[in-house]
Amino acid sequence: MQIYHFQTIDPTGARRDVQSLRLPDLAAVWREIEVLAASQSRGGQIRVTNEAGGIVVLVGVSTARRLQARPAA
């Protein structure tokens, strides 16, 4: 399991560290992104980095919501 750091970026560019979680895989990361996207304003972004500081996911809130609304394949 890896530690992933979740951060929100609002439309003005202000950043806020939300949480750091130990998760088993990217599917678990995306489930956390879905939860965060539901509480964020449109125009913002969600950034997830790994323990080394590398960006794992950088997604807009609107895109994350659209992906969540899509039926599973």
Side-chain angles (χ1 to χ4, degrees):
M1 283 208 219
Q2 267 196 59
I3 295 177
Y4 294 95
H5 307 284
F6 292 79
Q7 184 179 64
T8 58
I9 305 168
D10 72 21
T12 68
R15 297 167 190 230
R16 183 173 69 90
D17 292 331
V18 177
Q19 60 190 351
S20 296
L21 299 172
R22 187 174 299 275
L23 298 170
D25 55 25
L26 280 177
V29 169
W30 279 103
R31 285 191 293 274
E32 291 299 323
I33 289 171
E34 289 176 5
V35 172
L36 276 176
S39 66
Q40 299 301 308
S41 60
R42 294 187 187 275
Q45 296 179 321
I46 298 169
R47 180 167 74 173
V48 183
T49 56
N50 60 18
E51 294 176 75
I55 295 174
V56 177
V57 177
L58 177 61
V59 65
V61 170
S62 296
T63 300
R65 288 178 181 172
R66 263 188 236 118
L67 290 173
Q68 180 180 358
R70 286 180 31 192

Short mmCIF file of all heavy atoms in Angstrom, two decimals:
data_model
loop_
_atom_site.label_atom_id
_atom_site.label_comp_id
_atom_site.label_asym_id
_atom_site.label_seq_id
_atom_site.Cartn_x
_atom_site.Cartn_y
_atom_site.Cartn_z
N MET A 1 0.84 -1.18 0.00
CA MET A 1 0.00 0.00 0.00
C MET A 1 0.88 1.24 0.00
O MET A 1 1.92 1.27 0.63
CB MET A 1 -0.90 0.02 1.22
CG MET A 1 -2.06 -0.90 1.12
SD MET A 1 -3.39 -0.25 2.11
CE MET A 1 -4.01 -1.74 2.81
N GLN A 2 0.41 2.25 -0.70
CA GLN A 2 1.12 3.53 -0.78
C GLN A 2 0.34 4.62 -0.06
O GLN A 2 -0.87 4.52 0.09
CB GLN A 2 1.26 3.95 -2.24
CG GLN A 2 2.54 3.51 -2.88
CD GLN A 2 2.77 4.29 -4.16
OE1 GLN A 2 2.87 5.52 -4.13
NE2 GLN A 2 2.85 3.58 -5.26
N ILE A 3 1.04 5.65 0.32
CA ILE A 3 0.38 6.82 0.88
C ILE A 3 0.13 7.81 -0.25
O ILE A 3 1.04 8.11 -1.04
CB ILE A 3 1.21 7.48 1.99
CG1 ILE A 3 1.34 6.53 3.17
CG2 ILE A 3 0.60 8.80 2.43
CD1 ILE A 3 2.20 7.02 4.30
N TYR A 4 -1.10 8.29 -0.34
CA TYR A 4 -1.49 9.27 -1.34
C TYR A 4 -1.94 10.53 -0.61
O TYR A 4 -2.68 10.46 0.37
CB TYR A 4 -2.63 8.75 -2.21
CG TYR A 4 -2.23 7.56 -3.06
CD1 TYR A 4 -2.47 6.26 -2.62
CD2 TYR A 4 -1.62 7.74 -4.29
CE1 TYR A 4 -2.11 5.17 -3.38
CE2 TYR A 4 -1.26 6.65 -5.07
CZ TYR A 4 -1.50 5.37 -4.61
OH TYR A 4 -1.13 4.29 -5.38
N HIS A 5 -1.50 11.68 -1.12
CA HIS A 5 -1.84 12.97 -0.53
C HIS A 5 -2.85 13.66 -1.44
O HIS A 5 -2.59 13.84 -2.64
CB HIS A 5 -0.60 13.84 -0.37
CG HIS A 5 0.50 13.15 0.38
ND1 HIS A 5 0.47 13.00 1.75
CD2 HIS A 5 1.63 12.54 -0.04
CE1 HIS A 5 1.55 12.34 2.14
NE2 HIS A 5 2.27 12.05 1.07
N PHE A 6 -3.99 14.05 -0.88
CA PHE A 6 -5.06 14.69 -1.63
C PHE A 6 -5.06 16.18 -1.33
O PHE A 6 -4.99 16.58 -0.17
CB PHE A 6 -6.42 14.09 -1.23
CG PHE A 6 -6.57 12.66 -1.66
CD1 PHE A 6 -5.98 11.63 -0.95
CD2 PHE A 6 -7.31 12.34 -2.79
CE1 PHE A 6 -6.12 10.30 -1.35
CE2 PHE A 6 -7.45 11.02 -3.20
CZ PHE A 6 -6.86 10.01 -2.48
N GLN A 7 -5.18 16.97 -2.38
CA GLN A 7 -5.17 18.42 -2.26
C GLN A 7 -6.24 18.99 -3.19
O GLN A 7 -6.44 18.48 -4.29
CB GLN A 7 -3.79 18.95 -2.66
CG GLN A 7 -3.60 20.43 -2.49
CD GLN A 7 -2.20 20.84 -2.89
OE1 GLN A 7 -1.83 20.71 -4.05
NE2 GLN A 7 -1.42 21.32 -1.94
N THR A 8 -6.94 20.02 -2.74
CA THR A 8 -7.89 20.70 -3.61
C THR A 8 -7.30 22.04 -4.01
O THR A 8 -6.55 22.66 -3.26
CB THR A 8 -9.25 20.93 -2.92
OG1 THR A 8 -9.06 21.69 -1.74
CG2 THR A 8 -9.93 19.61 -2.59
N ILE A 9 -7.64 22.44 -5.22
CA ILE A 9 -7.21 23.73 -5.75
C ILE A 9 -8.47 24.44 -6.21
O ILE A 9 -9.18 23.95 -7.09
CB ILE A 9 -6.24 23.55 -6.93
CG1 ILE A 9 -5.06 22.66 -6.51
CG2 ILE A 9 -5.77 24.91 -7.45
CD1 ILE A 9 -4.20 22.17 -7.66
N ASP A 10 -8.78 25.57 -5.58
CA ASP A 10 -10.03 26.26 -5.95
C ASP A 10 -9.82 27.09 -7.22
O ASP A 10 -8.69 27.21 -7.69
CB ASP A 10 -10.59 27.07 -4.78
CG ASP A 10 -9.83 28.33 -4.46
OD1 ASP A 10 -9.07 28.84 -5.32
OD2 ASP A 10 -9.99 28.83 -3.34
N PRO A 11 -10.88 27.63 -7.79
CA PRO A 11 -10.76 28.37 -9.05
C PRO A 11 -9.79 29.55 -9.01
O PRO A 11 -9.30 29.97 -10.05
CB PRO A 11 -12.20 28.84 -9.33
CG PRO A 11 -13.05 27.83 -8.65
CD PRO A 11 -12.30 27.46 -7.41
N THR A 12 -9.50 30.08 -7.83
CA THR A 12 -8.56 31.20 -7.72
C THR A 12 -7.11 30.71 -7.62
O THR A 12 -6.19 31.51 -7.64
CB THR A 12 -8.86 32.06 -6.48
OG1 THR A 12 -8.59 31.29 -5.30
CG2 THR A 12 -10.28 32.56 -6.47
N GLY A 13 -6.92 29.41 -7.50
CA GLY A 13 -5.58 28.84 -7.39
C GLY A 13 -5.15 28.53 -5.97
O GLY A 13 -4.07 27.99 -5.75
N ALA A 14 -5.99 28.86 -5.01
CA ALA A 14 -5.66 28.57 -3.60
C ALA A 14 -5.67 27.05 -3.39
O ALA A 14 -6.57 26.36 -3.85
CB ALA A 14 -6.66 29.24 -2.68
N ARG A 15 -4.67 26.57 -2.69
CA ARG A 15 -4.53 25.12 -2.45
C ARG A 15 -4.81 24.80 -1.00
O ARG A 15 -4.49 25.56 -0.10
CB ARG A 15 -3.12 24.68 -2.80
CG ARG A 15 -2.83 24.88 -4.26
CD ARG A 15 -1.37 24.74 -4.55
NE ARG A 15 -1.15 25.18 -5.92
CZ ARG A 15 -0.48 24.48 -6.82
NH1 ARG A 15 0.06 23.34 -6.50
NH2 ARG A 15 -0.35 24.95 -8.03
N ARG A 16 -5.40 23.64 -0.82
CA ARG A 16 -5.72 23.18 0.54
C ARG A 16 -5.44 21.69 0.62
O ARG A 16 -5.97 20.91 -0.16
CB ARG A 16 -7.17 23.46 0.86
CG ARG A 16 -7.56 23.07 2.29
CD ARG A 16 -8.96 23.52 2.64
NE ARG A 16 -9.98 22.78 1.93
CZ ARG A 16 -10.55 21.65 2.34
NH1 ARG A 16 -10.20 21.12 3.48
NH2 ARG A 16 -11.48 21.06 1.64
N ASP A 17 -4.57 21.31 1.55
CA ASP A 17 -4.32 19.89 1.78
C ASP A 17 -5.54 19.33 2.49
O ASP A 17 -6.01 19.87 3.47
CB ASP A 17 -3.08 19.69 2.64
CG ASP A 17 -1.81 20.08 1.93
OD1 ASP A 17 -1.78 19.99 0.69
OD2 ASP A 17 -0.84 20.50 2.59
N VAL A 18 -6.05 18.22 1.95
CA VAL A 18 -7.27 17.64 2.50
C VAL A 18 -6.95 16.46 3.41
O VAL A 18 -7.36 16.42 4.56
CB VAL A 18 -8.22 17.20 1.37
CG1 VAL A 18 -9.46 16.54 1.92
CG2 VAL A 18 -8.59 18.38 0.50
N GLN A 19 -6.21 15.50 2.86
CA GLN A 19 -5.93 14.30 3.64
C GLN A 19 -4.81 13.50 3.01
O GLN A 19 -4.51 13.66 1.83
CB GLN A 19 -7.18 13.43 3.75
CG GLN A 19 -7.72 12.96 2.41
CD GLN A 19 -9.08 12.32 2.55
OE1 GLN A 19 -9.55 12.08 3.64
NE2 GLN A 19 -9.72 12.05 1.43
N SER A 20 -4.21 12.65 3.80
CA SER A 20 -3.24 11.67 3.32
C SER A 20 -3.76 10.32 3.74
O SER A 20 -4.10 10.11 4.91
CB SER A 20 -1.87 11.93 3.92
OG SER A 20 -1.37 13.18 3.49
N LEU A 21 -3.83 9.42 2.77
CA LEU A 21 -4.39 8.09 3.04
C LEU A 21 -3.48 7.00 2.51
O LEU A 21 -2.87 7.16 1.46
CB LEU A 21 -5.76 7.95 2.36
CG LEU A 21 -6.87 8.90 2.79
CD1 LEU A 21 -8.07 8.74 1.88
CD2 LEU A 21 -7.25 8.64 4.24
N ARG A 22 -3.44 5.90 3.22
CA ARG A 22 -2.74 4.71 2.73
C ARG A 22 -3.79 3.88 1.98
O ARG A 22 -4.76 3.41 2.58
CB ARG A 22 -2.16 3.92 3.89
CG ARG A 22 -1.28 2.77 3.45
CD ARG A 22 -0.60 2.11 4.63
NE ARG A 22 0.26 3.01 5.36
CZ ARG A 22 1.54 3.29 5.06
NH1 ARG A 22 2.08 2.72 4.01
NH2 ARG A 22 2.24 4.12 5.79
N LEU A 23 -3.59 3.74 0.66
CA LEU A 23 -4.57 3.05 -0.18
C LEU A 23 -3.89 1.96 -1.00
O LEU A 23 -2.71 2.07 -1.36
CB LEU A 23 -5.25 4.07 -1.11
CG LEU A 23 -6.04 5.18 -0.41
CD1 LEU A 23 -6.46 6.24 -1.41
CD2 LEU A 23 -7.24 4.60 0.32
N PRO A 24 -4.66 0.92 -1.36
CA PRO A 24 -4.07 -0.22 -2.05
C PRO A 24 -3.80 -0.01 -3.54
O PRO A 24 -2.88 -0.62 -4.09
CB PRO A 24 -5.09 -1.33 -1.84
CG PRO A 24 -6.38 -0.61 -1.66
CD PRO A 24 -6.04 0.67 -0.96
N ASP A 25 -4.60 0.84 -4.20
CA ASP A 25 -4.44 0.96 -5.66
C ASP A 25 -5.14 2.22 -6.17
O ASP A 25 -5.76 2.96 -5.41
CB ASP A 25 -5.01 -0.28 -6.36
CG ASP A 25 -6.45 -0.56 -5.98
OD1 ASP A 25 -7.18 0.37 -5.58
OD2 ASP A 25 -6.87 -1.73 -6.09
N LEU A 26 -5.04 2.44 -7.49
CA LEU A 26 -5.63 3.63 -8.08
C LEU A 26 -7.16 3.61 -8.05
O LEU A 26 -7.79 4.67 -8.02
CB LEU A 26 -5.15 3.80 -9.53
CG LEU A 26 -3.76 4.41 -9.65
CD1 LEU A 26 -3.33 4.47 -11.11
CD2 LEU A 26 -3.72 5.79 -9.03
N ALA A 27 -7.76 2.45 -8.05
CA ALA A 27 -9.22 2.38 -7.95
C ALA A 27 -9.68 3.01 -6.63
O ALA A 27 -10.66 3.75 -6.58
CB ALA A 27 -9.71 0.94 -8.06
N ALA A 28 -8.95 2.75 -5.57
CA ALA A 28 -9.28 3.34 -4.27
C ALA A 28 -9.04 4.85 -4.28
O ALA A 28 -9.79 5.61 -3.67
CB ALA A 28 -8.45 2.68 -3.17
N VAL A 29 -8.01 5.29 -5.00
CA VAL A 29 -7.75 6.73 -5.14
C VAL A 29 -8.94 7.40 -5.82
O VAL A 29 -9.44 8.44 -5.38
CB VAL A 29 -6.45 6.97 -5.94
CG1 VAL A 29 -6.31 8.43 -6.32
CG2 VAL A 29 -5.23 6.51 -5.14
N TRP A 30 -9.43 6.79 -6.91
CA TRP A 30 -10.56 7.38 -7.64
C TRP A 30 -11.83 7.41 -6.79
O TRP A 30 -12.63 8.33 -6.90
CB TRP A 30 -10.79 6.66 -8.97
CG TRP A 30 -9.84 7.17 -10.01
CD1 TRP A 30 -8.71 6.57 -10.46
CD2 TRP A 30 -9.92 8.43 -10.69
NE1 TRP A 30 -8.09 7.37 -11.38
CE2 TRP A 30 -8.81 8.51 -11.55
CE3 TRP A 30 -10.82 9.49 -10.66
CZ2 TRP A 30 -8.58 9.62 -12.37
CZ3 TRP A 30 -10.59 10.58 -11.47
CH2 TRP A 30 -9.49 10.64 -12.31
N ARG A 31 -12.02 6.43 -5.93
CA ARG A 31 -13.19 6.47 -5.04
C ARG A 31 -13.11 7.67 -4.10
O ARG A 31 -14.11 8.34 -3.84
CB ARG A 31 -13.30 5.16 -4.25
CG ARG A 31 -13.82 4.00 -5.10
CD ARG A 31 -14.18 2.79 -4.26
NE ARG A 31 -13.02 2.16 -3.64
CZ ARG A 31 -12.25 1.24 -4.24
NH1 ARG A 31 -12.51 0.85 -5.46
NH2 ARG A 31 -11.23 0.71 -3.59
N GLU A 32 -11.92 7.97 -3.61
CA GLU A 32 -11.73 9.15 -2.75
C GLU A 32 -11.94 10.44 -3.53
O GLU A 32 -12.50 11.41 -3.02
CB GLU A 32 -10.34 9.14 -2.10
CG GLU A 32 -10.16 8.04 -1.08
CD GLU A 32 -11.12 8.14 0.09
OE1 GLU A 32 -11.42 9.26 0.55
OE2 GLU A 32 -11.56 7.09 0.57
N ILE A 33 -11.50 10.46 -4.78
CA ILE A 33 -11.70 11.63 -5.63
C ILE A 33 -13.19 11.88 -5.83
O ILE A 33 -13.65 13.03 -5.80
CB ILE A 33 -10.98 11.46 -6.98
CG1 ILE A 33 -9.46 11.55 -6.77
CG2 ILE A 33 -11.46 12.50 -8.00
CD1 ILE A 33 -8.64 11.20 -7.99
N GLU A 34 -13.97 10.83 -6.02
CA GLU A 34 -15.42 10.98 -6.18
C GLU A 34 -16.03 11.65 -4.96
O GLU A 34 -16.88 12.54 -5.10
CB GLU A 34 -16.08 9.61 -6.39
CG GLU A 34 -15.79 8.99 -7.72
CD GLU A 34 -16.36 7.59 -7.86
OE1 GLU A 34 -17.08 7.13 -6.94
OE2 GLU A 34 -16.08 6.95 -8.87
N VAL A 35 -15.61 11.27 -3.79
CA VAL A 35 -16.13 11.87 -2.55
C VAL A 35 -15.74 13.34 -2.47
O VAL A 35 -16.58 14.20 -2.16
CB VAL A 35 -15.61 11.09 -1.32
CG1 VAL A 35 -15.99 11.81 -0.02
CG2 VAL A 35 -16.15 9.67 -1.31
N LEU A 36 -14.50 13.65 -2.78
CA LEU A 36 -14.04 15.03 -2.74
C LEU A 36 -14.76 15.89 -3.78
O LEU A 36 -15.14 17.02 -3.50
CB LEU A 36 -12.54 15.10 -3.01
CG LEU A 36 -11.62 14.88 -1.84
CD1 LEU A 36 -10.17 14.89 -2.31
CD2 LEU A 36 -11.83 15.93 -0.79
N ALA A 37 -14.94 15.37 -4.97
CA ALA A 37 -15.57 16.14 -6.05
C ALA A 37 -16.98 16.56 -5.69
O ALA A 37 -17.43 17.64 -6.07
CB ALA A 37 -15.56 15.33 -7.35
N ALA A 38 -17.67 15.72 -4.95
CA ALA A 38 -19.05 16.03 -4.58
C ALA A 38 -19.13 17.27 -3.68
O ALA A 38 -20.15 17.96 -3.67
CB ALA A 38 -19.69 14.83 -3.88
N SER A 39 -18.06 17.58 -2.96
CA SER A 39 -18.11 18.70 -2.02
C SER A 39 -17.35 19.93 -2.51
O SER A 39 -17.24 20.91 -1.79
CB SER A 39 -17.53 18.26 -0.67
OG SER A 39 -16.15 17.97 -0.81
N GLN A 40 -16.82 19.89 -3.73
CA GLN A 40 -16.03 21.01 -4.25
C GLN A 40 -16.82 21.82 -5.26
O GLN A 40 -17.73 21.31 -5.90
CB GLN A 40 -14.75 20.48 -4.92
CG GLN A 40 -13.83 19.73 -3.99
CD GLN A 40 -13.38 20.58 -2.83
OE1 GLN A 40 -12.89 21.69 -3.01
NE2 GLN A 40 -13.56 20.07 -1.62
N SER A 41 -16.41 23.08 -5.43
CA SER A 41 -17.09 23.94 -6.41
C SER A 41 -16.52 23.69 -7.80
O SER A 41 -15.35 23.35 -7.96
CB SER A 41 -16.92 25.41 -6.03
OG SER A 41 -15.55 25.75 -5.99
N ARG A 42 -17.39 23.86 -8.78
CA ARG A 42 -16.97 23.70 -10.17
C ARG A 42 -15.87 24.70 -10.48
O ARG A 42 -15.85 25.80 -9.95
CB ARG A 42 -18.14 23.90 -11.12
CG ARG A 42 -19.18 22.82 -10.96
CD ARG A 42 -20.27 22.94 -12.01
NE ARG A 42 -21.34 22.02 -11.75
CZ ARG A 42 -21.35 20.75 -12.15
NH1 ARG A 42 -20.35 20.28 -12.82
NH2 ARG A 42 -22.36 19.97 -11.87
N GLY A 43 -14.97 24.30 -11.36
CA GLY A 43 -13.85 25.16 -11.70
C GLY A 43 -12.61 24.85 -10.89
O GLY A 43 -11.51 25.28 -11.23
N GLY A 44 -12.77 24.07 -9.84
CA GLY A 44 -11.63 23.68 -9.02
C GLY A 44 -10.98 22.42 -9.55
O GLY A 44 -11.43 21.83 -10.54
N GLN A 45 -9.92 22.01 -8.91
CA GLN A 45 -9.20 20.80 -9.28
C GLN A 45 -8.89 19.98 -8.03
O GLN A 45 -8.85 20.50 -6.92
CB GLN A 45 -7.89 21.13 -9.97
CG GLN A 45 -8.06 21.84 -11.29
CD GLN A 45 -6.71 22.16 -11.92
OE1 GLN A 45 -5.77 22.53 -11.23
NE2 GLN A 45 -6.63 22.02 -13.23
N ILE A 46 -8.64 18.71 -8.28
CA ILE A 46 -8.20 17.80 -7.22
C ILE A 46 -6.87 17.22 -7.68
O ILE A 46 -6.75 16.70 -8.79
CB ILE A 46 -9.22 16.68 -6.99
CG1 ILE A 46 -10.55 17.29 -6.52
CG2 ILE A 46 -8.69 15.67 -5.96
CD1 ILE A 46 -11.70 16.32 -6.50
N ARG A 47 -5.88 17.34 -6.82
CA ARG A 47 -4.55 16.80 -7.14
C ARG A 47 -4.19 15.73 -6.11
O ARG A 47 -4.39 15.92 -4.91
CB ARG A 47 -3.51 17.91 -7.10
CG ARG A 47 -2.12 17.37 -7.44
CD ARG A 47 -1.16 18.47 -7.71
NE ARG A 47 -0.77 19.13 -6.47
CZ ARG A 47 0.18 20.04 -6.42
NH1 ARG A 47 0.80 20.43 -7.50
NH2 ARG A 47 0.48 20.59 -5.27
N VAL A 48 -3.68 14.63 -6.62
CA VAL A 48 -3.25 13.53 -5.77
C VAL A 48 -1.79 13.25 -6.08
O VAL A 48 -1.41 13.08 -7.25
CB VAL A 48 -4.08 12.25 -6.02
CG1 VAL A 48 -3.66 11.13 -5.08
CG2 VAL A 48 -5.57 12.53 -5.88
N THR A 49 -0.96 13.23 -5.04
CA THR A 49 0.45 12.93 -5.22
C THR A 49 0.80 11.67 -4.42
O THR A 49 0.11 11.30 -3.48
CB THR A 49 1.34 14.10 -4.75
OG1 THR A 49 1.04 14.42 -3.39
CG2 THR A 49 1.12 15.33 -5.63
N ASN A 50 1.90 11.05 -4.82
CA ASN A 50 2.36 9.86 -4.09
C ASN A 50 3.37 10.27 -3.03
O ASN A 50 3.65 11.46 -2.84
CB ASN A 50 2.92 8.81 -5.06
CG ASN A 50 4.10 9.33 -5.87
OD1 ASN A 50 4.73 10.33 -5.52
ND2 ASN A 50 4.38 8.66 -6.97
N GLU A 51 3.94 9.30 -2.37
CA GLU A 51 4.88 9.57 -1.27
C GLU A 51 6.10 10.35 -1.73
O GLU A 51 6.66 11.13 -0.97
CB GLU A 51 5.33 8.26 -0.64
CG GLU A 51 4.21 7.52 0.06
CD GLU A 51 4.65 6.18 0.60
OE1 GLU A 51 5.36 6.18 1.63
OE2 GLU A 51 4.28 5.16 0.01
N ALA A 52 6.50 10.16 -2.99
CA ALA A 52 7.68 10.84 -3.52
C ALA A 52 7.35 12.26 -4.02
O ALA A 52 8.24 12.98 -4.44
CB ALA A 52 8.28 10.02 -4.65
N GLY A 53 6.07 12.63 -3.98
CA GLY A 53 5.67 13.95 -4.43
C GLY A 53 5.27 14.02 -5.89
O GLY A 53 4.93 15.08 -6.40
N GLY A 54 5.30 12.88 -6.58
CA GLY A 54 4.90 12.85 -7.99
C GLY A 54 3.39 12.91 -8.13
O GLY A 54 2.65 12.33 -7.32
N ILE A 55 2.93 13.62 -9.15
CA ILE A 55 1.49 13.72 -9.38
C ILE A 55 0.97 12.41 -9.94
O ILE A 55 1.47 11.91 -10.94
CB ILE A 55 1.17 14.88 -10.34
CG1 ILE A 55 1.55 16.22 -9.70
CG2 ILE A 55 -0.32 14.88 -10.70
CD1 ILE A 55 1.41 17.41 -10.62
N VAL A 56 -0.03 11.85 -9.27
CA VAL A 56 -0.66 10.61 -9.69
C VAL A 56 -1.92 10.94 -10.49
O VAL A 56 -2.17 10.34 -11.54
CB VAL A 56 -1.01 9.73 -8.47
CG1 VAL A 56 -1.74 8.47 -8.88
CG2 VAL A 56 0.24 9.41 -7.68
N VAL A 57 -2.71 11.88 -10.00
CA VAL A 57 -3.94 12.32 -10.67
C VAL A 57 -4.06 13.83 -10.49
O VAL A 57 -3.85 14.34 -9.40
CB VAL A 57 -5.20 11.65 -10.08
CG1 VAL A 57 -6.46 12.18 -10.74
CG2 VAL A 57 -5.14 10.13 -10.18
N LEU A 58 -4.41 14.52 -11.58
CA LEU A 58 -4.77 15.93 -11.53
C LEU A 58 -6.01 16.05 -12.39
O LEU A 58 -5.95 15.86 -13.61
CB LEU A 58 -3.65 16.83 -12.05
CG LEU A 58 -3.96 18.33 -12.11
CD1 LEU A 58 -4.28 18.87 -10.71
CD2 LEU A 58 -2.80 19.08 -12.71
N VAL A 59 -7.15 16.31 -11.76
CA VAL A 59 -8.42 16.29 -12.47
C VAL A 59 -9.29 17.46 -12.03
O VAL A 59 -9.27 17.84 -10.86
CB VAL A 59 -9.15 14.94 -12.26
CG1 VAL A 59 -9.55 14.74 -10.81
CG2 VAL A 59 -10.34 14.78 -13.17
N GLY A 60 -10.00 18.02 -12.99
CA GLY A 60 -10.95 19.07 -12.66
C GLY A 60 -12.16 18.49 -11.95
O GLY A 60 -12.53 17.33 -12.18
N VAL A 61 -12.77 19.28 -11.10
CA VAL A 61 -13.94 18.82 -10.35
C VAL A 61 -15.07 18.43 -11.30
O VAL A 61 -15.70 17.39 -11.14
CB VAL A 61 -14.40 19.89 -9.34
CG1 VAL A 61 -15.75 19.54 -8.73
CG2 VAL A 61 -13.35 20.07 -8.25
N SER A 62 -15.31 19.25 -12.32
CA SER A 62 -16.39 18.95 -13.28
C SER A 62 -16.13 17.64 -14.01
O SER A 62 -17.05 16.83 -14.20
CB SER A 62 -16.55 20.09 -14.29
OG SER A 62 -16.96 21.26 -13.62
N THR A 63 -14.90 17.40 -14.40
CA THR A 63 -14.54 16.15 -15.08
C THR A 63 -14.72 14.97 -14.14
O THR A 63 -15.25 13.93 -14.53
CB THR A 63 -13.10 16.22 -15.60
OG1 THR A 63 -13.01 17.30 -16.54
CG2 THR A 63 -12.71 14.91 -16.28
N ALA A 64 -14.28 15.10 -12.90
CA ALA A 64 -14.42 14.01 -11.93
C ALA A 64 -15.89 13.67 -11.73
O ALA A 64 -16.27 12.50 -11.65
CB ALA A 64 -13.78 14.40 -10.59
N ARG A 65 -16.75 14.69 -11.68
CA ARG A 65 -18.19 14.44 -11.52
C ARG A 65 -18.77 13.72 -12.75
O ARG A 65 -19.59 12.83 -12.62
CB ARG A 65 -18.94 15.74 -11.28
CG ARG A 65 -18.69 16.32 -9.91
CD ARG A 65 -19.40 17.62 -9.74
NE ARG A 65 -19.15 18.19 -8.42
CZ ARG A 65 -19.53 19.39 -8.07
NH1 ARG A 65 -20.17 20.16 -8.91
NH2 ARG A 65 -19.25 19.84 -6.86
N ARG A 66 -18.33 14.15 -13.94
CA ARG A 66 -18.81 13.48 -15.16
C ARG A 66 -18.36 12.02 -15.19
O ARG A 66 -19.14 11.15 -15.58
CB ARG A 66 -18.28 14.21 -16.40
CG ARG A 66 -19.28 15.16 -16.94
CD ARG A 66 -18.84 15.73 -18.28
NE ARG A 66 -18.85 17.17 -18.13
CZ ARG A 66 -17.80 17.96 -18.23
NH1 ARG A 66 -16.63 17.48 -18.55
NH2 ARG A 66 -17.91 19.24 -18.04
N LEU A 67 -17.14 11.77 -14.82
CA LEU A 67 -16.63 10.38 -14.81
C LEU A 67 -17.43 9.55 -13.81
O LEU A 67 -17.71 8.38 -14.06
CB LEU A 67 -15.15 10.36 -14.46
CG LEU A 67 -14.21 10.90 -15.52
CD1 LEU A 67 -12.79 10.97 -14.97
CD2 LEU A 67 -14.24 10.04 -16.78
N GLN A 68 -17.77 10.13 -12.70
CA GLN A 68 -18.54 9.43 -11.67
C GLN A 68 -19.94 9.08 -12.19
O GLN A 68 -20.49 8.03 -11.87
CB GLN A 68 -18.65 10.31 -10.43
CG GLN A 68 -19.41 9.71 -9.30
CD GLN A 68 -19.47 10.66 -8.11
OE1 GLN A 68 -18.90 11.75 -8.13
NE2 GLN A 68 -20.15 10.25 -7.08
N ALA A 69 -20.52 9.96 -13.00
CA ALA A 69 -21.88 9.76 -13.49
C ALA A 69 -21.96 8.73 -14.62
O ALA A 69 -23.03 8.22 -14.92
CB ALA A 69 -22.46 11.09 -13.98
N ARG A 70 -20.81 8.40 -15.23
CA ARG A 70 -20.82 7.43 -16.33
C ARG A 70 -21.12 6.04 -15.81
O ARG A 70 -20.65 5.65 -14.74
CB ARG A 70 -19.44 7.40 -17.00
CG ARG A 70 -19.17 8.59 -17.86
CD ARG A 70 -17.84 8.57 -18.52
NE ARG A 70 -17.33 7.26 -18.84
CZ ARG A 70 -16.11 7.01 -19.20
NH1 ARG A 70 -15.22 7.98 -19.26
NH2 ARG A 70 -15.70 5.79 -19.49
N PRO A 71 -21.88 5.26 -16.58
CA PRO A 71 -22.13 3.87 -16.17
C PRO A 71 -20.84 3.05 -16.24
O PRO A 71 -20.00 3.30 -17.11
CB PRO A 71 -23.15 3.37 -17.17
CG PRO A 71 -23.20 4.37 -18.27
CD PRO A 71 -22.55 5.62 -17.80
N ALA A 72 -20.69 2.14 -15.33
CA ALA A 72 -19.50 1.28 -15.31
C ALA A 72 -19.50 0.37 -16.52
O ALA A 72 -20.53 -0.14 -16.93
CB ALA A 72 -19.48 0.45 -14.03
N ALA A 73 -18.31 0.18 -17.08
CA ALA A 73 -18.19 -0.67 -18.27
C ALA A 73 -18.04 -2.11 -17.89
O ALA A 73 -17.64 -2.50 -16.88
CB ALA A 73 -16.99 -0.22 -19.10
#
